[in-house]
Amino acid sequence: MPFVACTSLTLTRLNSAQKKPNNVWVFFTVEQNEEPVAGLQAEDFQIYEDGDLVSTYESKQVIQNPEVAAVMYTMLLLDVSGSVSESGSADQLVDAAQLFTDRVGKTQKVGVYAFDGEKELHSVTPFTESEGAVSGGLDGLRTYKPKDPSTNLHGAVMEGLKELKKSLDKEKKPLKFGTLVVFTDGTDRAARFSREDMKQELLKEQYKDYEIYAIGVGAEIKKAGLGDIGRDGTELATEQAGVKTAFEKVADRIERHTKRFYLLSYCTPARKGTHTVRIVANSKNPKGSGDLEWDFNADGFGPRRTATPTPRPCSRSRPARSSTPARSRATAAAAARSRSRPPPPPRSTEPPAA
């Protein structure tokens, strides 16, 4: 049963599976009071099957890199409407966005898109792990002039979610996590979509596991309005000087949230039937404990097969092709044969018999 003390950890199972001959793995998060708990090692976990502790010598439990089974995308959606591009604040926005992508890009793929008054988003840098590509794309926003200087904020959020999902759907890994970060300096002026339209889009089942943050700057922005977008967090800067700090705070939160993921794999002693596995986590900093459990089926399981070494004949490697001309090689070969023959008997110097 989960611990209920004030120092309890919350373990949330995201996915799990089993595979012959006897491997079981689980992908989960560890948090305490909604804050991520990072840095736990394999020895910080205990594994129970049907109430009995599984020996670490038998389980060979290991924490694997989450990237083995999961992919994470973050979309940075930037307001480049007339109020930004014509106010002389584009350089500050680009500098702050560059620091954000450099930091978040260390742990996941980052894509940068922009919006103004037009219906469609503008692709600045599609999702990539190349830092140079992101930097080059962002620099183009320093001199960007929108064709429509209005602000299609509601529509941009809706299109951003669709583009984020479309990109994630191309990935083959079983677990996919998306984050949307929206920057704006004003309210929706284009009125292509209502605030209610946007809120209904955010509530769709396909986006329920996405994290969404909002960063606002300027006098037009209201905290309450940002909250309709940034359901996982908002940052408000009253003036341009605070934009960099706002981006850093959101990047820090995304970075820490990335570290809450764990992929634990172990070898089960079970060989048949359905079993209940319970994972207990023990953390020293912050101090706390917590658990999670689920059922798995071990039908057809068995011991891991150990390969018996089979003697192999030494491989015959083809001699390297010589760069010596053919005629020289023939001469050298003839000389070698000559050296290998026994020398002829010495010729007599006596005159022949009469």
Side-chain angles (χ1 to χ4, degrees), residues 81-256:
S81 58
S83 55
V84 174
S85 60
E86 298 171 10
S87 65
S89 58
D91 284 339
Q92 289 178 309
L93 172 60
V94 170
D95 290 343
Q98 182 65 67
L99 292 173
F100 175 91
T101 56
D102 287 348
R103 185 169 178 180
V104 176
K106 293 178 181 178
T107 56
Q108 53 191 286
K109 291 185 179 181
V110 178
V112 182
Y113 291 76
F115 68 94
D116 45 33
E118 294 186 287
K119 185 177 180 180
E120 296 79 16
L121 298 179
H122 305 290
S123 174
V124 178
T125 304
F127 289 97
T128 179
E129 294 174 332
S130 172
E131 296 181 7
V134 175
S135 178
L138 282 169
D139 280 336
L141 294 180
R142 296 183 189 275
T143 56
Y144 177 78
K145 299 297 181 184
K147 294 180 180 179
D148 187 341
S150 186
T151 307
N152 180 28
L153 176 59
H154 299 156
V157 172
M158 297 167 67
E159 286 301 311
L161 287 170
K162 294 175 183 177
E163 183 62 34
L164 179 57
K165 184 179 185 302
K166 178 181 175 182
S167 297
L168 278 170
D169 285 346
K170 297 177 182 178
E171 291 284 349
K172 296 181 179 180
K173 293 182 179 179
L175 301 176
K176 306 170 186 181
F177 300 95
T179 301
L180 176 64
V181 179
V182 182
F183 166 83
T184 184
D185 77 333
T187 56
D188 187 297
R189 300 294 186 186
R192 295 181 183 276
F193 297 92
S194 68
R195 179 177 295 274
E196 189 61 29
D197 291 334
M198 179 189 70
K199 291 169 71 174
Q200 288 301 314
E201 187 74 18
L202 288 167
L203 290 174
K204 287 185 176 180
E205 179 71 15
Q206 59 198 21
Y207 308 129
K208 68 181 180 65
D209 294 326
Y210 289 11
E211 292 189 351
I212 306 176
Y213 301 90
I215 301 173
V217 62
E220 286 189 31
I221 296 295
K222 294 182 180 179
K223 189 82 172 179
L226 279 181
D228 288 340
I229 300 173
R231 64 189 183 194
D232 294 286
T234 60
E235 291 294 335
L236 178 60
T238 56
E239 54 187 30
Q240 288 293 335
V243 171
K244 179 181 176 182
T245 301
F247 271 91
E248 287 178 341
K249 288 181 178 179
V250 174
D252 178 70
R253 186 170 180 83
I254 293 173
E255 189 178 57
R256 287 188 293 111

Side-chain angles (χ1 to χ4, degrees), residues 55-102:
S55 165
T56 56
Y57 298 103
E58 188 173 18
S59 69
K60 297 180 175 59
Q61 62 199 57
V62 62
I63 294 293
Q64 299 184 15
N65 189 330
E67 293 180 3
V68 172
V71 63
M72 303 175 191
Y73 277 35
T74 287
M75 172 186 281
L76 182 58
L77 186 56
L78 302 175
D79 183 346
V80 292
S81 58
S83 55
V84 174
S85 60
E86 298 171 10
S87 65
S89 58
D91 284 339
Q92 289 178 309
L93 172 60
V94 170
D95 290 343
Q98 182 65 67
L99 292 173
F100 175 91
T101 56
D102 287 348

